[in-house]
């Protein structure tokens, strides 16, 4: 949609369309957005699913959303105001690397452009229309660089486990829920 309206957690919950709150605060859940919108603007409170009340709406959208949602959240992961709003650098490069293997070339392109905004990835050479084998090799080098870095701080909302690393099992679970409707 090209419609611009006030943030509304219920709209996001029902349609999956990202809201402005969660596009800037990428580390926050839809439940967090609903609580604040209820408090500030007297919107009816949302009763989101257990996962969406705890896990970052951006992470859910990037891994489980349709191609348009994945593109929107991926672009925002590299948007400086959003990068300044939380611990984006602790999780976004990993999730963006997952999107660099997306079925849609535009999602791969946006993910690569966004990951280049993070320290250590500025010179990433990634051809989003190369063969899957070539792309996978680049993604593996990105993952190696991430794994060679410092662990983050445990945070369920960001899928960061007690050891400070992204919980790959939870990532896989969200990927299994991906909306695979064709987008044209």
């Amino acid at each position: 949609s090209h419609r611009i309206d006030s943030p509304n957690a219920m709209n996001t919950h029902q349609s999956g369309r990202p809201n402005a709150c969660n596009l800037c605060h990428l580390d926050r859940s839809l439940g967090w957005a609903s609580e604040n919108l209820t408090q500030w603007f007297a919107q009816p409170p949302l009763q989101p699913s257990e996962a969406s009340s705890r896990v970052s709406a951006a992470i859910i959208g990037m891994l489980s959303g349709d191609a348009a949602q994945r593109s929107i959240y991926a672009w925002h992961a590299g948007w400086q105001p959003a990068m300044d709003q939380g611990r984006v650098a602790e999780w976004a490069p990993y999730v963006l690397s997952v999107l660099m293997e997306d079925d849609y070339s535009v999602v791969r392109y946006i993910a690569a452009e966004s990951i280049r905004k993070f320290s250590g990835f500025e010179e990433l050479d990634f051809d989003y229309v190369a063969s899957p084998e070539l792309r996978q090799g680049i993604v593996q080098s990105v993952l190696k660089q991430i794994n060679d870095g410092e662990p983050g701080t445990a945070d369920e909302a960001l899928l960061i486990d007690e050891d400070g690393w992204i919980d790959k099992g939870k990532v896989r679970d969200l990927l299994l829920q991906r909306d695979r409707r064709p987008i044209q």
Side-chain angles (χ1 to χ4, degrees):
S1 169
H2 288 82
R3 182 178 172 168
I4 299 173
D5 54 12
S6 296
N8 185 308
M10 183 59 75
N11 288 348
T12 300
H13 181 65
Q14 290 174 341
S15 70
R17 189 175 80 213
N19 67 73
C21 298
N22 291 119
L23 288 175
C24 192
H25 297 277
L26 297 173
D27 58 334
R28 301 300 187 139
S29 69
L30 186 57
W32 171 86
S34 176
E35 288 173 19
N36 285 290
L37 291 168
T38 297
Q39 180 181 2
W40 297 334
F41 302 111
Q43 288 186 10
L46 176 65
Q47 300 301 320
S49 70
E50 191 66 23
S52 67
S53 67
R54 293 188 324 263
V55 177
S56 154
I59 292 174
I60 291 172
M62 290 169 81
L63 298 173
S64 297
D66 66 31
Q69 294 160 359
R70 296 191 306 269
S71 296
I72 292 167
Y73 281 115
W75 185 88
H76 281 84
W79 183 48
Q80 195 61 53
M83 293 171 71
D84 294 341
Q85 289 300 318
R87 299 168 40 207
V88 179
E90 289 184 47
W91 61 268
Y94 182 88
V95 176
L96 289 167
S97 75
V98 171
L99 294 182
M100 288 168 60
E101 295 189 272
D102 200 272
D103 292 338
Y104 286 85
S105 60
V106 68
V107 175
R108 296 190 302 264
Y109 173 80
I110 294 168
E113 288 298 306
S114 288
I115 203 170
R116 288 183 183 111
K117 307 277 176 70
F118 290 90
S119 179
F121 297 104
E122 300 89 348
E123 302 300 319
L124 179 68
D125 183 20
F126 181 75
D127 181 355
Y128 66 99
V129 293
S131 72
E133 297 78 22
L134 289 174
R135 292 193 318 259
Q136 189 176 51
I138 300 299
V139 170
Q140 290 306 314
S141 70
V142 167
L143 292 173
K144 181 181 180 335
Q145 186 172 339
I146 291 169
N147 290 332
D148 288 346
E150 295 294 318
T153 304
D155 190 328
E156 181 182 28
L158 305 179
L159 305 185
I160 300 174
D161 65 20
E162 292 301 318
D163 295 326
W165 300 104
I166 295 290
D167 185 328
K168 293 172 181 70
K170 289 182 179 175
V171 168
R172 184 186 61 249
D173 292 345
L174 286 169
L175 286 170
L176 290 171
Q177 298 171 38
R178 177 169 280 176
D179 183 341
R180 297 194 181 277
R181 278 180 300 181
I183 302 286
Q184 297 185 15

